[in-house]
Amino acid sequence: MADPENLFIVNVVTPDGLIFSHHCSLVEMRAIDGQRSIMYNHLPILTPLTIGEIRVKRGREMNETVNHIAISGGYFEFSNNVATIIADSAERSTRINLSRAEAAKKRAQSELKKAKSMHDQRSIERAQVALRRAVNRISVYNSDN
């Protein structure tokens, strides 16, 4: 008989509701202070996340498939073998519309150029965030294809 696999639940929640909920063996994400990897029985943790990719490694039953999710920041909490990611927005790689993401990148680059020429710091910062989000979505889409 094979050893039982130690899995835990990961939930990704946005203001639009639950977008991901599965058992997994590993979750990787970028916290504001660096890359984090969480496995079964990890100590409880609560940490803010940056714009980035969440990688969820599923169990042996799912052939250890890795799901990729683009998030725009948020919080990660792990306790009692339940991982909860609360994000402003999150999108599974399989649901990312690449042409929309590339158009958003071009818009952000244009806005950034315009804001820099006007020396408008607030607009520069907004455009930089929009650009990081678009680039992240493109990267997550490409990591799964």
Side-chain angles (χ1 to χ4, degrees):
M1 184 168 139
D3 291 333
E5 190 171 15
N6 292 324
L7 301 176
F8 60 95
I9 297 171
V10 61
N11 298 309
V12 179
V13 182
T14 70
D16 294 328
L18 184 67
I19 68 136
F20 185 89
S21 182
H22 291 285
H23 285 89
C24 70
S25 62
L26 175 72
V27 174
E28 297 176 307
M29 83 276 326
R30 179 159 305 281
I32 61 168
D33 59 349
Q35 191 70 18
R36 301 284 178 130
S37 297
I38 305 296
M39 296 176 72
Y40 184 80
N41 274 347
H42 192 282
L43 291 172
I45 185 174
L46 174 64
T47 188
L49 302 173
T50 64
I51 294 169
E53 177 182 11
I54 303 292
R55 286 180 299 283
V56 179
K57 184 177 180 184
R58 306 288 295 279
R60 288 189 294 251
E61 187 175 292
M62 292 295 298
N63 297 321
E64 298 183 344
T65 300
V66 176
N67 296 122
H68 304 268
I69 305 165
I71 66 162
S72 61
Y75 289 91
F76 176 85
E77 189 264 337
F78 185 84
S79 179
N80 298 318
N81 287 314
V82 176
T84 304
I85 297 165
I86 301 171
D88 295 330
S89 68
E91 199 171 4
R92 293 180 70 162
S93 61
T94 56
R95 303 225 183 234
I96 294 173
N97 181 320
L98 185 59
S99 59
R100 275 187 49 221
E102 289 172 340
K105 178 182 174 186
K106 287 180 184 173
R107 276 192 312 275
Q109 288 171 326
S110 175
E111 289 297 319
L112 183 58
K113 185 177 179 181
K114 180 180 169 185
K116 283 182 177 181
S117 71
M118 297 175 65
H119 305 288
D120 182 350
Q121 190 60 37
R122 289 185 64 122
S123 294
I124 290 171
E125 291 169 3
R126 278 194 301 270
Q128 287 172 333
V129 169
L131 182 58
R132 283 198 314 270
R133 286 179 177 168
V135 168
N136 181 55
R137 290 177 68 230
I138 293 166
S139 174
V140 170
Y141 175 87
N142 288 331
S143 69
D144 202 29
N145 292 310

